[in-house]
Structures are given as C-alpha cells and as structure tokens.
Amino acid sequence: MARQATRLDRGLVGLAMLAGASMSMGFIQLLAGPLEQVANLSVQVLALQTTAMAAPLVVSLLLLLREGPALVALGSRLAQRPQAWLLRRWRQQAVRLIPTAMGLLPYLLAAAMVSATLTKPELNTLTELRFLVGNLNPEILVLALIKTSLFAGLILWITLQQGRRAQTLQLAASAALSRAISVSIALLLGLDLILVLLLDPSVSGGVS
C-alpha cells in the first residue's frame, strides 16, 4: 500500500509539472503575438505570473480527479451519521490533502519556468531562470498558496457531501463523483473570479 501511495503521488506530481509546462508555453504563445514588440523576457515573466494565478485551480482539480472516488466512498459511509461526523472526517482529510495540494505548486511553477526558458530563450538557461525567479511577484505566490488551500478544502467538503447525498438518495457512486466535479468546477471558477475582481491590480499582476 505504501508503494502504491508513493507511485500515485509521483503520478500527481508528474501531472502537475506537465500542466505547468503546458500552461506556461500556451500563455507565452498567446502573448507573443499581441506583444511581439515587447522583449521576450517580459513575455516570459507575464506568462509565468499568469500561470501562478491559474495554478491553484489546476492543482485543486488534479487533486479532485485523483482523490474523488475515495472521498465519495467515504462520504457515502457517513450517510447515516450526524453532520458532525462529516465535519470531523473533513478535518482529518484536510490535514492530508491541503498540504499535498500546496506541495504541488512548486513543482508546477518550476516546470513552468523551465518551459518558459526553452520556449523563447533570451539568455543562457541558468541566468534566465534566475531572472524569472527574481521577477515573480511574491504577492502572487502568497495568494496562490492561500487560494490552493482554500480550493482544496472546498473540493474536499463538496466531494464528501456528494457521497453522503448519493447514499441517501440511492444514487450510483459515479453519479456522485460526476456531480462533485461539476459543482467543484462551477464553485471554484466563481470564487476565483470574485477574488480577481476584489484584488488590488498591483497584486493581480503585471510585469515587475
């Protein structure tokens, strides 16, 4: 079981790194056209900051896809228990899942940085990596960590609730998981939009 858990964790890290690289390359290609008169390094920094802002949503959804079936099953076993039991289980699982989600962020951002240096190289790789690290807004990183912990906690609660609901209504586990995914996506996108609208423009990111 321990070996299986390690293998699953490595797979999740690999998916996070692949997502970070793909997002970074996609943002760079998207920005390279409209900002073709801007230095490539500026495009890379802007793409990296955009990746960091989107990373909490991506990490949370990856975690949902990996942990969703087990969490639905756990929620279904609590269908006949008082609501307080669900809250207790949420706390127990949150101690494990929220740090896992936050721990995926460095891998995703590291892959995004490496991808950025390879997509539109301006300097030698090491110098360019140092430049990108130095120009990544610390406020964006702090915000990304906060959003990741918040999003992970929310999808954990939603999935447990959907498992409990499915058992009460005698629905299939697959239906509960599908509903948990759709509700989570809708809620996280809406919450992410609200956070962006409420943030000060200096936090939501420009090239420093």
Side-chain angles (χ1 to χ4, degrees):
M1 182 63 69
R3 292 181 180 178
Q4 184 179 6
T6 301
R7 185 162 58 250
L8 288 172
D9 287 343
R10 289 174 179 172
L12 195 58
V13 167
L15 285 175
M17 295 178 69
L18 181 60
S22 300
M23 291 165 62
S24 178
M25 292 178 66
F27 286 133
I28 287 175
Q29 294 302 322
L30 184 65
L31 294 169
L35 301 179
E36 58 184 356
Q37 302 301 321
V38 181
N40 286 341
L41 287 174
S42 297
V43 172
Q44 290 176 349
V45 172
L46 185 58
L48 184 58
Q49 291 185 353
T50 306
T51 300
M53 292 176 64
L57 181 62
V58 174
V59 166
S60 299
L61 292 179
L62 288 176
L63 197 64
L64 172 61
L65 294 176
R66 208 282 296 267
E67 298 286 343
L71 293 175
V72 165
L74 177 59
S76 67
R77 293 197 295 271
L78 300 173
Q80 305 304 320
R81 300 282 188 174
Q83 189 75 6
W85 280 72
L86 193 69
L87 181 59
R88 184 183 305 174
R89 289 298 186 184
W90 177 86
R91 289 173 179 169
Q92 292 174 349
Q93 294 296 319
V95 171
R96 176 178 64 91
L97 292 181
I98 291 178
T100 297
M102 295 174 69
L104 289 174
L105 274 179
Y107 291 100
L108 189 150
L109 293 177
M113 289 183 191
V114 173
S115 174
T117 62
L118 297 177
T119 304
K120 300 182 76 65
E122 283 279 316
L123 308 170
N124 69 72
T125 302
L126 185 58
T127 302
E128 198 158 337
L129 283 174
R130 289 174 178 170
F131 176 85
L132 291 177
V133 172
N135 282 273
L136 186 57
N137 192 330
E139 293 175 328
I140 290 180
L141 293 178
V142 172
L143 178 61
L145 288 171
I146 294 173
K147 286 168 61 178
T148 299
S149 61
L150 175 61
F151 289 176
L154 282 174
I155 65 170
L156 171 58
W157 180 258
I158 290 169
T159 310
L160 290 174
Q161 280 280 24
Q162 290 303 318
R164 178 187 174 96
R165 174 181 176 274
Q167 181 65 22
T168 302
L169 299 178
Q170 297 298 306
L171 300 176
S174 58
L177 179 58
S178 176
R179 181 175 171 83
I181 292 174
S182 60
V183 170
S184 295
I185 291 175
L187 181 60
L188 295 190
L189 286 175
L191 182 57
D192 200 34
L193 177 60
I194 291 173
L195 290 174
V196 169
L197 293 176
L198 291 178
L199 286 177
D200 187 270
S202 63
V203 177
S204 58
V207 179
S208 44

